[in-house]
């Protein structure tokens, strides 16, 4: 049996980052992906993700500040540009329920620079928007865009450069903590794989919607809700009006919530509803966009960013895996501390390098300098039995 310091299961953004940072520390690392690298069955594919410190919860602001430093380090190490800073706006309607009602106070408390704008000032700066006077707008200059697929590919390349073994198309069927320490990892067998048993001192589960399949034999269940989401790329009448130098990343902070991007790599703008509640299990993914959600998004965009000549070009599906309260999980299992769980609750990409670094630090050092005290196994998680 082959022995490793760290095993990582799942090679989306978070698992790829964890593999990189563990290997960068000089540890022997093996990592498993059940599908091909760069697949579209999870939540780490496509092009753009929002990066921001503008969050109503201070624990996420703190981790985002660390992430910006780690993003800069990753860009320096790879020689690749991964972030494009555009500035960003969060629209907070006064007459609607919103998760951003404490945003300005949190930014004050955490020392994040921002501006509070009225509708007239928004219209002056970005005439593309049409918002009513009842909307407050919070502008943060550090908001921007991360290149998603490039980031994941670079993390995997860097992990391999530092000696990690990445095994794609290799589903992990079981992880079993050993009485003598460490974890036994068993993968599916196939004609080209005679060895399907590995041992690691620590195993990191970055398995998103598939997490409970591996936790169930350990008697642990984390409440997870899975849904198929989608984003749509629109061709605006005048793409130059939406250039990142002239148009920000935006979030409509109401219920339902929407978000969108300036042009990025092509003359289109991207927009979507957040958490559409299109519930399904991973094996029920249709990959077929919802016409109802596209119609809803189109209706919203017509009033919010008026453009009579705009046309939808394509809609891309992805998968959300939500924990209670969308709380991150970055923690070892209480009963099995050699098994470390990382769940991003469908809003973690902006934190990717720090999230992965922290998972690696927990595996290598048993602790991290980051405050992850609020990112334990969530309320409602059950233990059905003990090994």
């Amino acid at each position: 049996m082959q022995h490793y310091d760290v095993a990582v299961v799942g090679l989306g953004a978070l698992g790829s980052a964890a593999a990189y940072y563990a290997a960068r520390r000089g540890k022997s690392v093996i990592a498993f992906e059940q599908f091909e690298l760069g697949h579209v069955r999870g939540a780490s594919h496509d092009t753009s993700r929002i990066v921001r410190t503008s969050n109503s919860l201070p624990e996420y602001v703190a981790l985002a500040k660390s992430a910006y430093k780690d993003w800069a380090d990753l860009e320096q190490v790879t020689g690749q540009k991964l972030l494009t800073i555009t500035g960003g706006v969060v629209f907070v309607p006064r007459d609607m329920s919103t998760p951003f009602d404490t945003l300005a106070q949190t930014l004050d408390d955490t020392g994040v620079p921002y501006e509070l704008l009225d509708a007239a000032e928004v219209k002056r700066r970005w005439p593309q928007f049409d918002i009513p006077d009842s909307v407050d707008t919070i502008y943060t200059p550090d908001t921007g865009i991360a290149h998603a697929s490039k980031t994941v590919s670079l993390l995997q390349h860097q992990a391999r450069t530092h000696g990690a073994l990445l095994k794609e198309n290799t589903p992990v069927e079981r992880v079993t903590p050993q009485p003598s320490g460490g974890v036994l990892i068993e993968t599916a067998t196939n004609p080209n794989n005679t060895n399907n048993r590995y041992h690691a001192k620590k195993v990191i589960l970055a398995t998103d919607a598939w997490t409970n399949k591996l936790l169930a034999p350990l008697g642990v269940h984390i409440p997870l809700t899975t849904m198929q989401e989608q984003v749509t790329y629109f061709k605006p009448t005048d793409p130059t009006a939406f250039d990142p130098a002239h148009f920000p990343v935006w979030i409509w902070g109401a219920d339902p919530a929407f978000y969108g991007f300036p042009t990025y790599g092509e003359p289109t703008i991207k927009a979507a509803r957040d958490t559409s509640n299109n519930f399904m299990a991973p094996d029920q993914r249709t990959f077929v966009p919802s016409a109802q959600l596209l119609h809803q998004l189109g209706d919203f965009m017509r009033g919010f960013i008026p453009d009579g000549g705009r046309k939808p070009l394509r809609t891309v599906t992805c998968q959300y895996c939500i924990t209670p309260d969308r709380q991150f999980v970055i923690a070892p299992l209480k009963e099995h501390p050699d098994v470390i769980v990382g769940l991003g609750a469908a809003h973690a990409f902006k934190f990717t390098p720090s999230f992965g670094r922290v998972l690696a630090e927990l595996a290598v050092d048993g602790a991290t300098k980051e405050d992850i005290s609020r990112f334990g196994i969530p309320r409602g998680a059950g233990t059905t039995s003990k090994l």
Side-chain angles (χ1 to χ4, degrees), residues 76-332:
Q76 183 177 23
V77 166
T78 62
Q80 296 288 318
K81 181 177 175 60
L82 298 174
L83 298 191
T84 299
I85 302 302
T86 63
V89 287
V90 178
F91 298 103
V92 186
R94 296 187 213 119
D95 56 353
M96 298 183 187
S97 173
T98 172
F100 292 100
D101 54 1
T102 61
L103 177 57
Q105 184 61 57
T106 298
L107 298 182
D108 282 332
D109 293 344
T110 55
V112 174
Y114 73 96
E115 295 178 67
L116 184 61
L117 311 177
D118 60 19
E121 180 62 15
V122 169
K123 186 71 173 178
R124 187 188 71 79
R125 296 191 189 189
W126 306 288
Q128 301 90 334
F129 293 117
D130 185 9
I131 62 171
D133 293 338
S134 59
V135 173
D136 294 322
T137 301
I138 296 172
Y139 171 76
T140 46
D142 65 352
T143 295
I145 304 169
H147 196 298
S149 57
K150 181 193 287 187
T151 295
V152 177
S153 178
L154 282 172
L155 286 168
Q156 292 166 355
H157 175 75
Q158 287 297 313
R160 281 176 163 153
T161 297
H162 286 83
L165 175 61
L166 308 188
K167 298 177 72 67
E168 62 182 333
N169 296 309
T170 307
V172 170
E173 294 190 335
R174 189 179 180 97
V175 295
T176 307
Q178 300 297 287
S180 58
V183 183
L184 174 67
I185 301 104
E186 297 174 85
T187 65
T189 58
N190 62 66
N192 298 318
N193 180 17
T194 57
N195 177 28
N196 72 321
R197 291 160 59 88
Y198 307 84
H199 179 271
K201 295 177 183 177
K202 302 285 183 179
V203 63
I204 296 169
L205 301 184
T207 42
D208 206 48
W210 294 271
T211 299
N212 280 325
K213 291 178 65 174
L214 294 176
L215 293 184
L218 307 183
V220 179
H221 177 85
I222 297 175
L224 298 175
T225 302
T226 308
M227 59 193 78
Q228 179 174 289
E229 298 292 319
Q230 62 190 56
V231 298
T232 296
Y233 291 81
F234 295 90
K235 176 82 164 54
T237 302
D238 179 14
T240 62
F242 297 93
D243 186 274
H246 311 300
F247 189 72
V249 169
W250 58 268
I251 296 173
W252 176 254
D255 186 13
F258 297 89
Y259 62 93
F261 298 76
T263 59
Y264 183 70
E266 62 179 355
T268 63
I269 58 173
K270 172 181 165 182
R273 175 180 166 175
D274 181 61
T275 318
S276 63
N277 300 326
N278 188 15
F279 301 110
M280 60 185 63
D283 58 359
Q284 297 172 327
R285 282 280 303 279
T286 66
F287 299 92
V288 178
S290 162
Q292 179 183 359
L293 289 175
L294 179 58
H295 180 75
Q296 181 192 52
L297 177 63
D299 281 349
F300 173 79
M301 292 288 285
R302 275 187 285 276
F304 180 64
I305 306 177
D307 180 359
R310 181 174 56 232
K311 298 183 183 299
L313 290 186
R314 68 181 183 276
T315 298
V316 179
T317 66
C318 67
Q319 182 171 268
Y320 270 26
C321 178
I322 308 294
T323 59
D325 301 324
R326 294 188 78 167
Q327 171 192 311
F328 284 175
V329 177
I330 312 176

Side-chain angles (χ1 to χ4, degrees), residues 27-101:
K27 301 302 177 181
S28 58
V29 176
I30 187 169
F32 305 92
E33 169 54 54
Q34 63 178 322
F35 306 116
E36 71 278 3
L37 296 180
H39 67 83
V40 299
R41 297 169 180 84
S44 296
H45 58 287
D46 205 30
T47 55
S48 51
R49 297 293 189 277
I50 297 174
V51 291
R52 57 187 170 96
T53 53
S54 55
N55 196 297
S56 296
L57 298 177
E59 58 267 30
Y60 293 106
V61 177
L63 190 60
K65 288 181 176 181
S66 293
Y68 273 85
K69 297 176 184 177
D70 287 329
W71 280 112
D73 175 73
L74 186 59
E75 287 184 324
Q76 183 177 23
V77 166
T78 62
Q80 296 288 318
K81 181 177 175 60
L82 298 174
L83 298 191
T84 299
I85 302 302
T86 63
V89 287
V90 178
F91 298 103
V92 186
R94 296 187 213 119
D95 56 353
M96 298 183 187
S97 173
T98 172
F100 292 100
D101 54 1

